[in-house]
């Protein structure tokens, strides 16, 4: 399934407070055939998240079990935060809705999400911890993990063969060695890595066990001077130094997949859908046969590099009058049968490691899976929302380091702006 950089990859704007009223729930009915007959459950899902086969089968199973109808309303990521914030403050919100994993904490803090802790004990007993983490706020389960995606290495098999490389690297050192071989033995750019591919940098910090922010009394402040953050940035620079990409641009300026499509780049670090973009942009009809994927190698062969897990959770509106019906939907949509089907049809990482076998035969998804357990997200705090608004201070920090500033000097350069954003009221 081709999808644009899913907005779950970051919170782009501030959320306003949501008034969460108590649920006037008349749903004390028990699930079962015709138990909710005559009712309609409204589901908001984002464009590209619900493959046709999965949607058809889940809808049929839900309607058969409950006797209710399922109304799916497909939403666009652009502008969804304001639209959802407004909807959750109104009398008839969507009962169940897809929400970006990094957005979940902010909505939970403002009272918009129902507590789903009882659901976790049943259908979610073996959810992958790294995927479920974003759904838990203050010890309570405010959403259910649905799926994630992460970055992989997308490489040009022909370029690597021309450099005499016969196997994909298993460690970070081997990866660097291979890229240097491409640099010395071919006329290709070893890797396209712009200076502000900041979600890859976030992945490197996760791999180092670093935090981008820290608590100072009752507020969060920058933690960019942490030696672990500096170590992650040093790793980023080692690879960026092998690239001709601009140091002050991100992967979308220009689109890195379109650069790769020219056939003169050894590799880039990106989302699986970017390979399809490259194939579409290439003038070589056989270009797709040259594309391969592998997991981003870590410091040792037994542990992949840290990655940012961009994905979606499913939540229930706190003001929905159909709490029990909504939970019945989640029990069906998230059971092993349908979660596995979503992984297989959509090429996404499921919320349970046991279901990753469904990815077999999808090389991009197979490359994503090994890094999932050790992945993570940006700080799961509502205060993070403002940080990603342009100009993103983390991006400016990265560019400063790549242009020769020390880590501490680059961190100090953006510290004031980063702290200002972290102090903004939600």
């Amino acid at each position: 399934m081709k999808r644009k950089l899913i907005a779950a990859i970051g919170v782009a704007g501030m959320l306003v407070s949501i008034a969460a009223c108590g649920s006037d729930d008349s749903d004390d009915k028990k699930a079962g055939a015709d138990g909710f007959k005559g009712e309609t459950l409204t589901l908001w899902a984002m464009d590209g998240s619900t493959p046709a086969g999965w949607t058809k089968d889940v809808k049929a199973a839900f309607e058969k079990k409950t006797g209710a109808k399922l109304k799916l309303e497909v939403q666009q990521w652009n502008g969804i935060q304001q639209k959802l914030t407004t909807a959750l403050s109104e009398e008839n919100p969507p009962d169940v809705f897809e929400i970006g994993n990094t957005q979940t904490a902010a909505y939970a803090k403002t009272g918009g999400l129902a507590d789903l802790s009882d659901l976790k004990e049943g259908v979610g007993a073996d959810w992958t911890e790294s995927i479920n983490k974003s759904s838990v706020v203050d010890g309570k389960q405010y959403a259910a993990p649905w799926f994630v995606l992460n970055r992989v290495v997308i490489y040009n098999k022909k370029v690597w063969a021309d450099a005499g490389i016969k196997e994909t690297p298993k460690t970070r050192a081997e990866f660097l060695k291979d890229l240097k071989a491409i640099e010395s033995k071919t006329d290709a750019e070893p890797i396209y890595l712009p200076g502000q591919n900041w979600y890859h940098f976030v992945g490197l910090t996760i791999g180092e066990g670093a935090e981008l922010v820290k608590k100072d009394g009752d507020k969060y402040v920058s933690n960019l001077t942490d030696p672990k953050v500096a170590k992650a940035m040093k790793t980023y620079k080692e690879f960026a130094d092998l690239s001709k990409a601009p140091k002050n641009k991100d992967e979308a300026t220009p689109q890195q997949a379109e650069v790769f499509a020219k056939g003169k780049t050894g590799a880039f670090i990106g989302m699986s859908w970017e390979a399809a973009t490259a194939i579409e942009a290439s003038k070589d009809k056989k270009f797709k046969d040259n594309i391969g994927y592998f997991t981003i190698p870590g410091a040792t062969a037994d542990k992949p590099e840290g990655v940012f897990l961009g994905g979606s959770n499913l939540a229930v509106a706190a003001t929905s009058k159909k709490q029990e019906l909504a939970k019945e939907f989640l029990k069906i949509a998230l059971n092993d049968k349908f979660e596995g089907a979503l992984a297989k049809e959509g090429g996404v990482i499921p919320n349970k490691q046991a279901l990753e076998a469904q990815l077999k035969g999808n090389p991009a998804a197979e490359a994503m899976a090994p890094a999932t357990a050790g992945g993570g997200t940006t700080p799961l705090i509502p205060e993070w929302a403002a940080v990603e608004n342009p100009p993103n201070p983390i991006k400016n920090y990265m560019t400063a380091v790549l242009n020769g500033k020390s880590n501490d000097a680059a961190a100090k350069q953006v510290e004031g702006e980063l702290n200002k954003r972290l102090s903004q009221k939600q």
Side-chain angles (χ1 to χ4, degrees), residues 224 387 389 391-398 414 417-418 421:
L224 296 180
V387 173
N389 289 334
N392 183 329
I394 308 294
K395 288 184 174 183
N396 291 336
Y397 152 81
M398 294 171 67
V414 304
E417 178 62 22
L418 182 53
R421 296 185 183 205

Side-chain angles (χ1 to χ4, degrees), residues 37-54:
K37 190 173 183 179
E39 296 192 28
T40 298
L41 186 82
T42 299
L43 166 67
W44 278 16
M46 306 312 298
D47 185 27
S49 294
T50 51
W54 180 89

Side-chain angles (χ1 to χ4, degrees), residues 107-327:
Y107 281 106
K109 288 285 189 180
T110 53
L113 311 184
D115 185 349
L116 302 178
S117 298
D118 56 339
L119 190 75
K120 170 70 169 68
E121 297 172 8
V123 71
D126 54 348
W127 283 334
T128 301
E129 184 178 354
S130 62
I131 299 177
N132 186 50
K133 187 176 180 181
S134 67
S135 294
V136 179
V137 181
D138 296 334
K140 292 184 179 180
Q141 189 81 35
Y142 279 105
W146 197 16
F147 64 83
V148 295
L149 297 164
N150 58 61
R151 286 164 177 76
V152 297
V153 181
I154 301 173
Y155 74 106
N156 187 319
K157 295 178 181 178
K158 183 178 184 304
V159 170
W160 286 56
D162 289 346
I165 304 168
K166 297 180 180 179
E167 295 182 354
T168 56
K170 300 299 185 291
T171 67
R172 187 188 300 154
E174 289 176 3
F175 190 12
L176 282 167
K177 181 180 177 181
D178 288 344
L179 294 177
K180 290 174 181 177
I182 292 171
E183 183 179 48
S184 64
K185 297 179 181 180
T186 76
D187 60 355
E189 180 179 12
I191 186 170
Y192 185 84
L193 182 61
Q196 297 184 347
N197 188 340
W198 85 288
Y199 280 112
H200 175 49
F201 168 64
V202 169
L204 295 176
T205 66
I206 291 166
E208 295 294 344
E211 297 288 348
L212 295 174
V213 300
K214 62 183 178 181
K215 203 74 181 286
D216 180 16
D218 61 351
K219 62 183 179 181
Y220 288 96
V221 297
S222 170
N223 194 39
L224 296 180
T225 57
D226 185 336
K228 292 181 180 179
V229 174
K231 189 174 180 182
M233 191 61 218
K234 180 177 181 291
T235 297
Y236 192 100
K237 188 175 186 302
E238 286 182 299
F239 286 89
D241 285 347
L242 292 167
S243 174
K244 299 175 184 176
K247 294 180 173 61
N248 62 344
K249 302 292 182 183
D250 63 21
E251 67 275 20
T253 317
Q255 287 288 344
Q256 61 182 4
E258 294 178 1
V259 175
F260 183 71
K262 296 175 182 178
K264 291 296 184 179
T265 303
F268 72 100
I269 293 171
M271 305 296 285
S272 58
W273 59 262
E274 291 181 270
T277 300
I279 292 168
E280 187 176 339
S282 177
K283 295 180 180 179
D284 181 359
K285 294 182 179 180
K286 296 182 179 180
F287 184 68
K288 64 180 180 181
D289 297 330
N290 290 331
I291 294 179
Y293 311 83
F294 59 87
T295 307
I296 305 172
T300 58
D302 61 333
K303 185 179 179 182
E305 190 60 86
V307 292
F308 174 79
L309 300 176
S312 288
N313 299 327
L314 289 174
V316 175
T319 52
S320 168
K321 298 180 177 65
K322 300 168 184 171
Q323 299 284 323
E324 293 305 316
L325 184 58
K327 290 178 182 179

